[in-house]
């Protein structure tokens, strides 16, 4: 049937369904097996579409995926950005529509430049290239990558080898091969079985114990966000974190407070922290997220320490519109959301040494940085433990914080490192080197999470080389379809 007379409505509906199914594959739903089905729905009718139709097909998938999967953006804009409901809906819709352009552009280009020959390979490769580009362009948004949902699936053992993008590629190939199988191409079951059964015999341990475990205590203050930066909010933060620290039932080697735990500058908090440190058992280290300022009036989202701590960390990958404002002079005075407290940070250096405590190197990622697989892999190369402090209060009781935790678990598995995650109101957790939750605190409660963390040494294949081999493989899978398309065009003309 010619693409010009093909009625694509069922294909468009399938794209919307595929986007919704993709969201259900992620936390907090954890239906990871829906990932291949979502890809299959997208692949099923895509080659009957024209280039324009294929672009719309990809855009509708993106609308459904990001509309359901990043709905937490509305909470941040409306509840904490002092923005009315109509404008919050418009801004959230604009955010979703822009993100949906990534699958739209890539699947439109795919339909225009590739043929149906070996389409099951080239479609899967295109999927991964679209995710990789979205993770990089305009500082990147590596949220809802298809492979992130697979941290509890049988193919999770591929993660230390190729990271989240290799998981995405395996899921995408599984989806396209399923369609070929149901088209009575029975051979398709063989590569599916190979990809999934091979995961069962993969090495389960790439790294090994480097030192005796340290006891970590993570403090979750559950401070209200809206009045946090007021004078009363500052006094409340000082009281809550001191009380929870002194109420710890056992001594800890390292105590961790979350991102911007104390709503004040580091130079203001330092005397208080030193007095608190003096009341702790000898040898105890205290790490906290805080705002640093310098003489040039630059502000940094940072981690500092007292006691048995050497070094500090300044966040290097900032969140657009949250921590810095593109087109600042045009937007900041127009919409209140763009004038939130502490929304004008400077970026720390791209390469920073780890923080040391008890002779253990700790690699750091503040909040959103933990979702960048290659950034975390770079930190893991020089560290025995990974630490991420966060403040997911901005996203309320939405699915956002649980998605954030899921990605932190995958970073632990990719790099064979324990990940310590301290947050203001959840999910505070200790994640082992296999991506398993060892200890987890309840959300929306002032509490502490205590557990042992084993420093690990050795590097996984992913930690050594990062994502580029998978990106290269994805590009190579697209090439046969492009070559066939070029040959056919030459023959036609």
């Amino acid at each position: 049937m010619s693409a010009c007379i093909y009625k694509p409505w069922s294909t468009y509906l399938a794209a919307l369904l595929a986007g919704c199914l993709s969201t259900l594959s992620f936390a907090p739903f954890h239906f990871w097996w829906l990932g291949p089905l979502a890809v299959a729905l997208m692949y099923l009718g895509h080659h009957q579409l024209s280039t324009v139709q294929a672009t719309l097909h990809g855009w509708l998938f993106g609308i459904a995926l990001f509309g359901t999967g990043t709905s937490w953006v509305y909470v941040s804009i409306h509840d904490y950005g002092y923005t009315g409901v109509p404008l919050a809906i418009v801004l959230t819709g604009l955010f979703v529509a822009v993100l949906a352009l990534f699958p739209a552009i890539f699947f439109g280009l795919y339909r225009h430049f590739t043929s149906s020959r070996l389409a099951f390979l080239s479609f899967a490769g295109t999927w991964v290239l679209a995710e990789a580009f979205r993770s990089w362009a305009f500082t990147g948004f590596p949220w809802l990558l298809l492979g992130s949902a697979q941290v509890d699936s049988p193919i999770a053992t591929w993660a230390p080898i190729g990271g989240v993008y290799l998981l995405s590629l395996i899921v995408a190939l599984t989806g396209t091969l399923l369609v070929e199988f149901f088209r009575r191409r029975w051979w398709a079951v063989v590569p599916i079985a190979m990809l999934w059964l091979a995961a069962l015999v993969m090495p389960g341990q790439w790294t090994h114990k480097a030192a005796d475990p340290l006891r970590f205590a993570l403090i979750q203050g559950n401070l209200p966000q809206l009045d946090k930066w007021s004078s009363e909010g500052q006094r409340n933060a000082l009281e809550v974190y001191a009380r929870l620290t002194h109420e710890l039932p056992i001594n800890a080697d390292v105590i961790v407070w979350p991102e911007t735990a104390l709503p004040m500058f580091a130079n203001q908090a330092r005397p208080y922290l030193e007095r608190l440190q003096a009341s702790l058992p000898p040898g105890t280290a205290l790490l906290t997220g805080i705002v640093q300022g310098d003489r040039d009036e630059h502000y940094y989202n940072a981690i500092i320490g007292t006691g048995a701590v050497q070094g500090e960390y300044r966040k290097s990958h900032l969140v657009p519109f949250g921590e810095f404002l593109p087109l600042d002079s045009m937007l900041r005075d127009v919409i209140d959301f763009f004038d939130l407290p502490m929304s004008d940070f400077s970026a720390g250096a791209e390469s920073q040494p780890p923080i040391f405590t008890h002779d253990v190197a700790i690699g750091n990622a503040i909040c959103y940085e933990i979702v960048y697989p290659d950034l975390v892999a770079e930190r893991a190369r020089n560290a025995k433990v990974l630490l991420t402090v966060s403040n997911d209060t901005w996203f309320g009781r939405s699915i956002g914080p649980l998605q954030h935790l899921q990605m932190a678990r995958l970073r632990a598995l990719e790099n064979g490192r324990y990940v310590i995650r301290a947050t203001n109101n959840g999910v505070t957790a200790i994640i082992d080197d296999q991506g398993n939750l060892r200890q987890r605190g309840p959300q929306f409660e002032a509490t502490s999470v205590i557990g042992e963390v084993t420093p690990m040494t050795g590097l996984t294949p992913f930690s050594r080389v990062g994502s580029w081999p998978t990106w290269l493989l994805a590009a190579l899978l697209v090439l046969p379809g492009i070559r066939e398309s070029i040959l056919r065009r030459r023959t036609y003309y």
Side-chain angles (χ1 to χ4, degrees), residues 27-249:
F29 312 105
H30 298 289
F31 298 131
W32 53 262
W33 47 271
L34 289 176
L37 295 181
V39 175
L41 283 173
M42 289 296 293
Y43 178 69
L44 189 61
H46 194 77
H47 297 88
Q48 295 176 289
L49 303 173
S50 68
T51 298
V52 173
Q53 291 170 338
T55 302
L56 179 58
H57 186 227
W59 190 73
L60 290 173
F61 167 78
I63 288 292
L65 171 63
F66 298 113
T68 57
T70 64
S71 54
W72 40 264
V73 171
Y74 172 85
V75 178
S76 179
I77 295 174
H78 174 258
D79 293 2
Y80 299 106
Y82 310 105
T83 303
V85 171
L87 183 56
I89 292 174
V90 169
L91 291 175
T92 304
L94 181 61
F95 175 79
V96 169
V98 170
L99 286 177
L101 291 175
F102 288 101
I105 292 169
F106 271 79
F107 288 123
L109 292 173
Y110 166 82
R111 186 67 190 94
H112 184 76
F113 286 108
T114 65
S115 69
S116 58
R117 182 176 180 269
L118 298 178
F120 69 94
L121 293 178
S122 55
F123 189 86
T126 300
W127 193 294
V128 172
L129 293 178
E131 287 192 342
F133 184 74
R134 171 163 62 86
S135 301
W136 169 81
F138 310 111
T139 77
F141 187 72
W143 207 280
L144 300 181
L145 302 181
L146 197 61
S148 295
Q150 302 301 311
V151 68
D152 292 311
S153 83
I155 62 169
T157 51
W158 285 101
I161 298 173
V164 64
Y165 297 104
L166 181 58
L167 295 181
S168 289
L169 185 59
I170 292 171
V171 173
L173 281 169
T174 302
T176 59
L177 286 165
L178 281 172
V179 173
E180 299 298 336
F181 177 77
F182 284 105
R183 287 172 176 168
R184 298 189 177 184
R185 294 174 178 134
W186 309 120
W187 54 265
V189 73
V190 176
I192 293 176
M194 290 176 63
L195 290 170
W196 286 76
L197 293 178
L200 301 179
V201 297
M202 291 287 180
Q205 191 74 46
W206 292 90
T207 58
H208 57 275
K209 179 179 175 180
D212 291 335
L214 296 174
R215 182 177 288 123
F216 274 75
L218 316 180
I219 307 299
Q220 180 176 291
N222 193 35
L223 301 177
Q225 187 66 37
L226 289 176
D227 62 356
K228 180 178 177 180
W229 290 91
S230 67
S231 298
E232 182 180 351
Q234 290 177 330
R235 289 191 296 271
N236 185 43
L238 292 170
E239 187 278 325
V240 166
Y241 279 100
R243 175 174 54 81
L244 291 174
T245 298
H246 286 130
E247 289 177 355
L248 288 172

Side-chain angles (χ1 to χ4, degrees), residues 167-377:
L167 295 181
S168 289
L169 185 59
I170 292 171
V171 173
L173 281 169
T174 302
T176 59
L177 286 165
L178 281 172
V179 173
E180 299 298 336
F181 177 77
F182 284 105
R183 287 172 176 168
R184 298 189 177 184
R185 294 174 178 134
W186 309 120
W187 54 265
V189 73
V190 176
I192 293 176
M194 290 176 63
L195 290 170
W196 286 76
L197 293 178
L200 301 179
V201 297
M202 291 287 180
Q205 191 74 46
W206 292 90
T207 58
H208 57 275
K209 179 179 175 180
D212 291 335
L214 296 174
R215 182 177 288 123
F216 274 75
L218 316 180
I219 307 299
Q220 180 176 291
N222 193 35
L223 301 177
Q225 187 66 37
L226 289 176
D227 62 356
K228 180 178 177 180
W229 290 91
S230 67
S231 298
E232 182 180 351
Q234 290 177 330
R235 289 191 296 271
N236 185 43
L238 292 170
E239 187 278 325
V240 166
Y241 279 100
R243 175 174 54 81
L244 291 174
T245 298
H246 286 130
E247 289 177 355
L248 288 172
I250 57 177
N251 293 338
D253 298 304
V254 186
I255 299 170
V256 183
W257 296 354
E259 180 184 18
T260 59
L262 300 181
M264 59 187 66
F265 293 111
N267 62 338
Q268 297 172 306
R270 181 67 71 174
Y272 164 80
L273 292 173
E274 290 176 351
R275 287 196 299 273
L276 178 65
Q277 180 67 50
S279 69
L280 298 176
T284 303
L286 172 63
L287 293 169
T288 182
I290 203 157
V291 177
Q292 279 188 324
D294 63 20
R295 294 178 181 177
D296 297 323
E297 295 188 356
H298 293 145
Y299 304 106
Y300 302 92
N301 194 349
I303 299 173
I304 63 171
T306 61
V309 176
Q310 299 84 45
E312 62 183 25
Y313 173 73
R314 291 175 171 178
K315 187 175 184 181
S316 63
H317 201 116
L318 303 179
V319 181
F321 302 103
E323 292 175 314
F324 77 98
L325 184 61
L327 305 176
D328 183 290
S329 60
M330 295 176 57
L331 295 177
R332 188 170 294 278
D333 294 330
V334 176
I335 300 174
D336 288 341
F337 172 70
F338 296 135
D339 200 26
L340 292 172
M342 311 315 300
S343 60
D344 190 20
F345 285 110
S346 297
E350 286 292 329
S351 180
Q352 300 179 52
I355 290 174
F356 282 85
T357 181
H358 298 281
D359 296 322
V360 172
I362 298 179
N364 300 281
I366 295 179
C367 194
Y368 187 56
E369 289 182 313
I370 198 69
V371 309
Y372 288 86
D374 290 272
L375 181 150
V376 176

